[in-house]
Amino acid sequence: MSPASTRVPTETPSLASRGLAILSQPWVTAILALALVIALGLVFHGNGAFYKWGTHRDALRLISVYAILACGMTVVILAAGIDLSVGSVLGLIAVAFSILVVRWEWSAWAAIPACLLLGACCGAASGSLIAWFRIQPFIVTLAMMVFARGLAKKISNGEKIWSAQTPEIFTRIDSRLLGENISVVTLVFLACLVICWIGLTRLRWGRYVYAIGGNEEAARLSGVPVTAMKIGVYALAGLFSAVAGICHAAQEYQGDPEAGATYELTAIAIVVIGGTSLMGGRGGVGLTLLGTLIIGYVDKILSINAVPEANRLMLTGAIIVVAVLVQRRKS
Amino acid sequence: MIGIVKSFGEHRVLDQVQFPLREGEVHVLAGENGAGKSTLMKILGGVYAPDAGEVRLLGRPVRFRSPREAALGGVAIIHQELSLVPSMSVADNIYLGRERTTRGWMRFGHQHNESTRLLSRLGLDILPCTAVGDLPISFQQMIEIAKALSLNARILVMDEPTSALNEPEVERLFAVVNDLKRSGCGIVYITHKLEEVYRIADRITVLRDGRWIATAPAREMPAPLLIRHMVGRELDERVTAGRTIARSNAPVLLRVEHVTVRSSRRSARPLVDNVGFEVRAGEIVGLAGLQGSGNSDLLWGVFGAFGRRRVSGEIRIGGAAYRPRSPGWAIRNGVALVTNDRQRNGLVTGLDVVANATLAALPRVSPAGWLRRGEEVALATDSTRALRLRAASLRQRVATLSGGNQQKVVLAKWMNIQPRVLLLDEPTRGVDVGAKQEIYQILDDWRRAGHAIVLITSEMPELLMLSDRIVVMHRGRAVTAMERKEATQERILHAAMGGD
């Protein structure tokens, strides 16, 4: 916030209403929600498991793949779109990466760029249909979701791709760094987060994303290249799906054509719980970090307390509703 | 309708307005844009509740709380934008919300037969099972009328029903209107076309600035009197004094020749039809025209907002040939467009002042794509300060600014692209009086600085005060052009309504 120059006599808001205004900022509600979740963790600590660093490292490792998807999803949602295909593209890339590395024995230096390119192409295809033919993003990416899953099954013949001798790149990606304290996948997630943050706040590109999400027509009439931007935004989401796909394959030591099913929903949930508006134009990748931590910790706390999966899912559903209700109050 | 008062916020839109409608008459409701015609009809139709006054139907006071109540009370309104569901059949549309049922089961046969009867009464040869969206606009309008008939409407309001119709279609509409009149319907007819007024009206009521001015039989109110009633107010001489006419030897910055803008609907008439004019540096050319005249469409076409396919003709900017491609291309050629609806397509209201003020000029402050945030804030600060924007902070979201200040943000945005040609569509709409004066001053400064300005405004005094020349458009054509000294409100309005 820049200093307010009070050239206009405005009414001084009462302390209470100013407090409310601060409370209704999305990042404040998200931080409060995260604090609440952590407080619950401190109380229901699962015989002290919550006090061990390993638990946290594990929570971060488990949520990282979802969080990478959520980074791309944030950008798409900020531009007032949605991408349902990220989970399927993840599965496609997991299979493709495994085939390249395990069967064809490509080096990682060739396989990774090829997979990233494939993922970006999937996204760019969705984006082109959305931008040129004005088809709703929901429908286009739903079609891509089905198509990419089919392609994953086609190239793998429906079988999991693995070998008894795990390729070195898989173990590398699944390892831990900094004295075994943080997983590589988590670092990849943080890198994606930083890339998105720079793109959205430091580049002209990011300003265009917000403008398109806030008012596409006004953006177009201000000379924003809406078509190219939309294609780019979905291509970025596809690229991040590819990153997540590579990480997922490495974590599982195999390329499973079924991998990533329903991951898109978790990614959307992370973005929404963070406080980015599904209407577009408002929010940011910082909120997505908070959303990631909230979902990650809720999951971990429920699992260290041995809550059965059925109850876990029901609770997660309830949490999403509450989070959205809390955020709606402000608008 | 007696003594109707309606205010929106502090703005009084209708003030003690009366409107008498008899059985079996066609009553034309006339007035300039913004005179309060639509608001009055929305009160009649139950869309708005009046702040004071009452509506009497056959002598009994009535108070419609919703369009549905009004419809059941016998008032049917056919808006300019038709309210039909394109994907549903003709019969389903006619009975929408009032489906004929027996214990919840639809009686399709009954609806079908009733619809056929109504359609044949209107002389329409279409099947009730056709989807409405597959029909031309003129037929859709007839279906609205059929819907009104099915309600046994005693009052039918038509808001500019002919704006999208061609000649034979207009003839058929008039035949239907005459037929309805004979059957005892009272018809309120809103139009901007003089020719229609005198072909169809039994009586005329004129509104101006939200006040009732006159009601008289059509033959007692010939065209010159009607226009005088509509224009009414005398021009404030003070504002026009002290203006120097632009030098006629200044270079022509914008030349438009034979420009045609096609409608997005294939069969409809073009929005702009073979229009030409030129604007010199340091000159303001007013584009006068009532709703549907195509003047806004012309600006959008020149700006490239319709893309390259729908616009044909020759445009030169500063002597160089220019083909409208996209808004981005127009901006790079130094053309700016202030649209007439800043909420819808002028501002990203969820973003702050800085982001909006620099949106069109971002490449200037982000070479190679990296935002130079200091430069960006400096650009926004300079431009908004020059326009005397009053905001608590430049990090304020523009949604929280007043109308006048929002408009200044729009103007700042376009100032920042360093334009040569400014296309301004209603730059003072929804702006309070003080801000209006400031915007006049800004426009005059820009004129002096040598920009070429094309101005659309529905406020006649504003047009006469600011324009060096005025081009009048009617139904997509430029019907006349006049120099500032020969322009009067009467002449402009007469031409804009298609009088000769």
Side-chain angles (χ1 to χ4, degrees):
Chain A
M1 291 284 144
S2 73
S5 63
T6 47
R7 260 186 292 171
V8 188
T10 43
E11 283 178 49
T12 337
S14 71
L15 207 63
S17 75
R18 235 186 304 172
L20 262 180
I22 290 175
L23 270 182
S24 64
Q25 291 278 335
W27 58 272
V28 177
T29 36
I31 285 180
L32 287 178
L34 179 60
L36 179 70
V37 169
I38 290 175
L40 284 175
L42 293 175
V43 176
F44 302 101
H45 47 71
N47 295 326
F50 197 76
Y51 300 130
K52 296 196 180 102
W53 169 244
T55 308
H56 297 264
R57 183 189 61 209
D58 226 41
L60 286 174
R61 176 182 172 274
L62 287 175
I63 200 70
S64 286
V65 166
Y66 296 101
I68 294 167
L69 294 180
C71 284
M73 190 68 78
T74 307
V75 177
V76 172
I77 287 178
L78 280 175
I82 193 90
D83 191 346
L84 299 179
S85 69
V86 291
S88 291
V89 174
L90 182 153
L92 171 65
I93 298 298
V95 170
F97 186 61
S98 303
I99 290 177
L100 290 180
V101 174
V102 173
R103 290 210 184 138
W104 298 2
E105 296 180 349
W106 282 27
S107 93
W109 298 113
I112 290 177
C115 286
L116 296 184
L117 185 68
L118 178 59
C121 286
C122 288
S126 306
S128 307
L129 288 168
I130 291 161
W132 280 329
F133 297 102
R134 309 251 167 111
I135 316 175
Q136 283 147 348
F138 190 93
I139 302 298
V140 172
T141 58
L142 182 69
M144 179 56 75
M145 169 174 131
V146 178
F147 180 85
R149 181 67 66 201
L151 189 58
K153 291 185 179 180
K154 174 112 186 158
I155 59 175
S156 63
N157 283 322
E159 290 163 5
K160 293 175 180 168
I161 311 291
W162 65 289
S163 82
Q165 194 186 11
T166 307
E168 193 201 347
I169 182 68
F170 281 17
T171 39
R172 278 276 182 87
I173 293 176
D174 195 37
S175 62
R176 297 175 196 153
L177 294 180
L178 305 175
E180 299 276 296
N181 274 330
I182 194 152
S183 327
V184 171
V185 179
T186 304
L187 290 175
V188 170
F189 155 57
L190 291 175
C192 290
L193 198 73
V194 169
I195 290 170
C196 283
W197 183 79
I198 289 174
L200 287 172
T201 62
R202 290 290 182 272
L203 298 188
R204 188 201 303 163
W205 183 85
R207 188 60 59 74
Y208 285 172
V209 169
Y210 279 97
I212 289 172
N215 187 341
E216 186 179 329
E217 184 70 349
R220 187 176 76 90
L221 292 176
S222 299
V224 175
V226 174
T227 308
M229 283 297 300
K230 280 191 172 173
I231 296 172
V233 161
Y234 285 92
L236 185 78
L239 182 79
F240 283 167
S241 306
V243 173
I246 292 168
C247 293
H248 191 267
Q251 282 184 335
E252 307 272 314
Y253 295 132
Q254 63 178 9
D256 181 358
E258 299 289 347
T262 74
Y263 279 30
E264 61 279 346
L265 301 181
T266 309
I268 294 170
I270 287 173
V271 175
V272 169
I273 286 178
T276 295
S277 162
L278 271 178
M279 308 293 290
R282 302 184 71 176
V285 80
L287 293 176
T288 299
L289 174 62
L290 293 173
T292 303
L293 295 176
I294 291 172
I295 289 260
Y297 275 119
V298 165
D299 245 30
K300 196 69 202 173
I301 290 163
L302 293 175
S303 80
I304 58 178
N305 286 288
V307 177
E309 201 207 350
N311 299 4
R312 248 195 274 173
L313 289 175
M314 283 158 60
L315 260 169
T316 311
I319 288 167
I320 292 173
V321 171
V322 170
V324 173
L325 281 179
V326 167
Q327 283 165 14
R328 242 172 49 133
R329 217 188 37 190
K330 67 176 186 276
S331 52
Chain B
M1 302 177 81
I2 308 161
I4 302 288
V5 177
K6 176 74 191 172
S7 305
F8 293 118
E10 291 178 10
H11 187 50
R12 186 165 274 204
V13 184
L14 289 176
D15 192 5
Q16 296 291 332
V17 169
Q18 48 178 312
F19 184 74
L21 181 68
R22 292 193 195 125
E23 246 175 50
E25 76 162 349
V26 175
H27 198 137
V28 165
L29 182 57
E32 289 183 277
N33 297 342
K37 304 180 299 264
S38 297
T39 311
L40 185 66
M41 289 305 111
K42 279 179 177 159
I43 287 171
L44 177 61
V47 178
Y48 299 143
D51 298 339
E54 65 179 9
V55 180
R56 287 192 200 158
L57 198 59
L58 300 173
R60 277 180 302 120
V62 287
R63 181 147 257 204
F64 301 128
R65 277 164 303 187
S66 70
R68 191 184 161 80
E69 280 190 18
L72 296 176
V75 178
I77 299 195
I78 301 173
H79 294 283
Q80 261 173 298
E81 311 87 36
L82 302 177
S83 49
L84 296 169
V85 186
S87 54
M88 289 170 68
S89 76
V90 171
D92 286 343
N93 265 290
I94 291 176
Y95 289 102
L96 187 62
R98 306 169 289 120
E99 285 77 9
R100 295 286 182 266
T101 54
T102 313
R103 275 177 249 111
W105 292 86
M106 292 284 294
R107 294 167 63 194
F108 290 111
H110 178 73
Q111 280 194 10
H112 187 94
N113 295 339
E114 288 290 300
S115 306
T116 313
R117 199 175 54 74
L118 288 168
L119 293 173
S120 65
R121 190 176 150 195
L122 295 174
L124 284 184
D125 186 24
I126 45 176
L127 290 171
C129 51
T130 328
V132 162
D134 295 341
L135 296 170
I137 284 285
S138 59
F139 279 69
Q140 297 190 15
Q141 217 149 28
M142 292 293 178
I143 289 158
E144 287 270 19
I145 295 174
K147 194 169 167 179
L149 288 179
S150 78
L151 282 159
N152 292 319
R154 278 165 301 195
I155 298 178
L156 188 61
V157 179
M158 298 181 171
D159 191 354
E160 291 205 61
T162 57
S163 54
L165 304 188
N166 59 28
E167 287 306 321
E169 292 169 341
V170 171
E171 290 307 315
R172 185 166 50 209
L173 180 76
F174 282 179
V176 169
V177 167
N178 276 321
D179 196 44
L180 291 172
K181 190 167 102 174
R182 271 194 296 282
S183 68
C185 245
I187 295 162
V188 183
Y189 194 98
I190 298 177
T191 181
H192 281 316
K193 292 172 198 137
L194 273 186
E195 182 211 347
E196 282 179 12
V197 173
Y198 292 103
R199 267 202 61 188
I200 203 168
D202 296 307
R203 285 199 297 166
I204 304 173
T205 287
V206 182
L207 300 187
R208 186 209 313 149
D209 298 337
R211 285 166 209 274
W212 172 85
I213 300 300
T215 299
R219 76 187 89 77
E220 290 171 25
M221 201 191 286
L225 180 63
L226 170 62
I227 287 177
R228 208 173 317 137
H229 278 321
M230 284 171 66
V231 172
R233 62 191 162 217
E234 290 304 310
L235 195 55
D236 187 348
E237 290 298 331
R238 283 168 308 168
V239 286
T240 60
R243 269 288 309 271
T244 49
I245 307 291
R247 284 167 300 150
S248 55
N249 57 1
V252 174
L253 275 189
L254 173 69
R255 186 196 299 276
V256 171
E257 270 173 26
H258 308 299
V259 163
T260 296
V261 179
R262 276 185 299 283
S263 165
S264 56
R265 278 196 305 273
R266 197 108 349 123
S267 58
R269 67 178 172 80
L271 301 172
V272 177
D273 194 356
N274 201 7
V275 169
F277 64 90
E278 58 180 43
V279 191
R280 291 174 185 281
E283 192 179 41
I284 300 182
V285 169
L287 263 191
L290 298 162
Q291 269 166 31
S293 67
N295 51 6
S296 298
D297 303 306
L298 176 56
L299 296 194
W300 278 56
V302 170
F303 189 64
F306 290 136
R308 64 182 88 192
R309 297 223 186 95
R310 283 171 57 191
V311 184
S312 58
E314 271 184 51
I315 303 170
R316 300 183 85 78
I317 288 172
Y322 160 87
R323 280 200 60 76
R325 276 197 224 163
S326 66
W329 177 247
I331 289 166
R332 283 194 287 283
N333 279 281
V335 183
L337 171 70
V338 173
T339 61
N340 61 17
D341 191 341
R342 57 179 169 268
Q343 300 289 340
R344 221 169 88 190
N345 46 32
L347 291 167
V348 185
T349 51
L351 295 182
D352 62 17
V353 175
V354 174
N356 274 284
T358 59
L359 184 57
L362 272 189
R364 271 180 71 191
V365 292
S366 55
W370 282 88
L371 272 184
R372 298 196 175 155
R373 308 208 318 158
E375 284 180 30
E376 190 198 4
V377 172
L379 185 65
T381 311
D382 290 348
S383 54
T384 52
R385 191 172 291 158
L387 301 183
R388 271 173 291 165
L389 176 84
R390 278 174 285 273
S393 149
L394 292 184
R395 291 291 171 199
Q396 205 175 339
R397 292 193 298 123
V398 293
T400 60
L401 295 174
S402 71
N405 282 312
Q406 287 188 355
Q407 193 67 12
K408 285 181 185 173
V409 175
V410 174
L411 296 177
K413 171 171 84 176
W414 292 115
M415 207 173 98
N416 285 334
I417 69 161
Q418 299 168 322
R420 286 183 290 174
V421 176
L422 285 147
L423 311 173
L424 311 177
D425 194 352
E426 304 279 0
T428 61
R429 175 175 284 177
V431 157
D432 65 76
V433 182
K436 256 182 197 171
Q437 290 301 332
E438 287 181 302
I439 289 174
Y440 296 156
Q441 192 57 51
I442 292 163
L443 297 194
D444 206 49
D445 291 346
W446 284 353
R447 191 182 63 84
R448 279 172 212 282
H451 298 294
I453 299 177
V454 183
L455 173 74
I456 292 177
T457 168
S458 53
E459 290 190 33
M460 231 22 128
E462 198 171 289
L463 186 73
L464 287 168
M465 173 182 75
L466 295 169
S467 311
D468 296 304
R469 255 174 325 115
I470 294 167
V471 176
V472 186
M473 290 182 64
H474 174 71
R475 278 180 76 92
R477 294 205 174 86
V479 286
T480 181
M482 46 190 102
E483 289 298 322
R484 164 200 194 76
K485 50 184 177 292
E486 54 187 20
T488 62
Q489 301 195 59
E490 284 81 2
R491 278 195 63 192
I492 294 169
L493 201 53
H494 194 257
M497 292 175 84
D500 19 47

